[in-house]
Amino acid sequence: MATAAEYGLGPNTYPRGWFIVAESREIDDGPIGVTFFGRDFALYRGESGNPVMLDAYCAHMGTHLAKNTSSMLIIAEVGGKHIEGDSIRCPYHGWRYNAEGHVDDIPYHDGPCPKSASIRSYPVVDNMGCIMMWFDEDGADPDYPPPYLAQWDEGGWVHWDLDHLPELDIHPQEVLDNMCDNRHLGPTHGAPCEYFENEMRDHVLIQRQGGAMTLYGGAMLYTTTWYTGPGVLLSKQVWGDATQFEMIANTPVGDGRIKAWHGCLVKSASGTVTPEDKETQA
Ligand code: FES
């Protein structure tokens, strides 16, 4: 494991871009606490249905906004709810933060809420069954859209339920390096490449390659794989009549440590997704 400083990657510890921080379903039952980029966050779905991501700790006395099971606010809804509209109430004294991270209500105070009590809010979207956040250590806004497959919203594709891979002591740089490693494709994936190229287009790193598979009668496998920023890999894989898309995502947890997810979006053979398709997919 190496750190960003050891790699000489510049003044910031973490890369910028869109990153997965949860599956969409993980915030359907209330707020959760997550840790990425060496920071703790509160992540929840507002009553509008939109996800919201805030720094985790209340500016009043430092309570975690999402992790609480004993506050009467949470267990008995005395005097209020944890989520109101797209705002979240701190379980300790009930200060309420809106989706922009500003305090918009203090239950025992009639005057204006202090602007100095604001906490940081992060751009976050619900996209392809995932909650994706934009992270920029310097606080800059997104300058490209999150990765997206149009097939996700077409009929006939079996959606992924993501595999949650364990946290790994790997720097994100080492994950990206794999995109130009053409000599692992035979031993690791069983299809030694017969052609291979990389292309950089702004924030997108593309790999095109193909070769005969060791199994499946030596059928040709053709793949086009691309990173949109450093956190989300999508890959179109074609062999015979079959086409699937694969997603592999990594998000820094700390400096030199990542969490990873994996899933496949597969075309249903019948053109309509059946329970059998979902079972096979799982
Ligand atoms: S610690 Fe959050 S309202 Fe007091």
Side-chain angles (χ1 to χ4, degrees), residues 58 60-63 90 92-95:
C58 179
H60 181 215
M61 289 179 68
T63 299
C90 175
Y92 200 178
H93 307 95
W95 290 24

Side-chain angles (χ1 to χ4, degrees), residues 11 20 34 45 47 50 54 57 74 101 104 111-112 129 149 156 162 183 187 206-207 209 225-226 236 255 259 262 265:
I20 291 180
V34 296
R45 190 182 300 287
E47 291 180 339
N50 295 325
L54 304 174
Y57 298 108
I74 308 303
D104 64 2
L149 294 168
L162 293 182
R183 289 300 153 198
I206 305 165
Q207 177 202 81
Q209 69 88 31
T225 303
W226 65 101
K236 182 179 182 181
D255 191 5
K259 173 167 170 58
H262 169 266
L265 180 67

